[in-house]
Amino acid sequence: MKYIVGNWKMNLSVRESVALVRGVLRSIQGCEQLPHIVLCPSATALSEAHKLLTRTHIALGAQNAGPDRAGAMTGEIGIAQLEDVGCKYAILGHSERRLKFAESDELVRERLSAVLASDLTPILCVGEPAEVRAAGKEEAYILKQLKLALAGQKIPKGKTLIVAYEPVWAIGSGSPAAPAQAMAMHHVIREYLKSEFKLSGERVAVLYGGSVDGKNAYQFLREPEIDGLLVGGASLKIEAFGQILDSACEVMQAQLSV
Ligand code: 13P
């Protein structure tokens, strides 16, 4: 099963968000083999999006969460509030949070811990900056991010941990990683989660993100090592996002008929 996650970031009014949710619902009509689809609008639009997504095959996700269920944390959105508006997933540790808002590995760990204790499924983002890759140190960098986020955590039975590999240099740049680069890193991530947390099969999913569009999505999705995509800019355009969903449906249909 593939995952297609749309991260709308700090974009769209409530009205525009509702229109896009409707567009995505229309675009999956007639698709027999649907991937897990998660839409992550801005916090301002979560409630309205939830009304449209109830009893559909599309889940709602938040762009950040916690680091607690509720409390004195100005500007944050508590896990209980996210559950209240129907969120089932939460993106954590996005590089825009880490770099622009100085979210530390420790804070990402706390957020992950709160999400793991809730009904939400975490989508933990990791990704190396360009200079780290240029120095050939990307594997060590990603493993360190994973290790710090997961330090002391227990992944409850029945919970899926989703990790999104999003190289910083590929985000919003128009230059995605080569599928081979993504696959190599996905292998490293998967092996780590298997050896340290005994996570395998349905309990773990590794997604790729960074300049995915309607044209290149298929070349990532056809690789078994790539469980899905975390899409930014292209998830705001219904045509491109529709093509990405079609690619996922096509790959999953092909896998069924093997
Ligand atoms: P783009 O798809 O716009 O490169 O963004 C990727 C991303 O950051 C998704 O979380």
Side-chain angles (χ1 to χ4, degrees):
M1 187 73 133
K2 301 279 182 183
Y3 286 81
I4 302 294
V5 184
N7 176 8
W8 296 358
K9 306 193 179 181
M10 196 176 69
N11 294 296
L12 307 185
S13 65
V14 174
R15 185 196 280 254
E16 288 164 339
S17 302
V18 163
L20 188 51
V21 169
R22 288 213 169 96
V24 177
L25 282 168
R26 267 196 303 276
S27 75
I28 58 169
Q29 278 169 9
C31 176
E32 281 174 22
Q33 255 328 100
L34 280 178
H36 292 293
I37 306 170
V38 184
L39 298 181
C40 304
S42 289
T44 50
L46 284 173
S47 188
E48 288 301 312
H50 173 55
K51 288 182 195 160
L52 293 171
L53 293 177
T54 324
R55 285 187 291 278
T56 71
H57 293 289
I58 300 182
L60 192 63
Q63 297 178 14
N64 207 354
D68 228 326
R69 289 195 65 77
M73 295 201 195
T74 304
E76 292 291 318
I77 305 176
I79 306 285
Q81 294 171 314
L82 295 176
E83 287 171 352
D84 183 43
V85 290
C87 285
K88 299 283 183 227
Y89 293 82
I91 296 172
L92 302 171
H94 193 283
S95 63
E96 285 153 13
R97 300 295 323 166
R98 293 178 190 261
L99 299 171
K100 282 205 176 79
F101 300 94
E103 283 204 8
S104 63
D105 287 302
E106 174 54 20
L107 181 52
V108 174
R109 196 194 66 77
E110 285 175 28
R111 292 188 191 282
L112 178 60
S113 168
V115 168
L116 285 171
S118 76
D119 290 339
L120 302 178
T121 298
I123 303 173
L124 172 66
C125 299
V126 294
E128 81 285 358
E131 60 274 17
V132 171
R133 183 163 279 267
K137 301 213 161 85
E138 65 274 12
E139 279 189 25
Y141 189 93
I142 298 299
L143 285 173
K144 187 167 173 214
Q145 278 187 329
L146 272 182
K147 206 169 160 183
L148 292 173
L150 288 162
Q153 314 266 25
K154 275 213 170 67
I155 319 290
K157 275 208 175 74
K159 185 82 113 189
T160 297
L161 175 67
I162 304 178
V163 175
Y165 171 54
E166 296 205 310
V168 176
W169 45 271
I171 294 176
S173 65
S175 303
Q181 288 174 314
M183 281 156 61
M185 193 60 83
H186 284 210
H187 182 73
V188 169
I189 294 169
R190 214 183 289 281
E191 287 300 306
Y192 175 78
L193 295 175
K194 197 167 160 189
S195 70
E196 296 297 315
F197 292 88
K198 310 276 173 286
L199 286 181
S200 60
E202 292 287 303
R203 295 196 65 208
V204 60
V206 189
L207 317 187
Y208 168 75
S211 295
V212 170
D213 61 25
K215 293 195 181 70
N216 62 26
Y218 185 83
Q219 64 192 65
F220 290 103
L221 288 168
R222 71 179 171 197
E223 304 296 347
E225 195 76 58
I226 299 178
D227 294 318
L229 300 169
L230 178 52
V231 186
S235 70
L236 295 167
K237 300 178 206 118
I238 190 57
E239 205 192 329
F241 198 62
Q243 283 172 345
I244 294 168
L245 291 171
D246 285 349
S247 299
C249 295
E250 200 180 317
V251 166
M252 287 174 52
Q253 196 65 46
Q255 281 169 352
L256 267 191
S257 46
V258 180

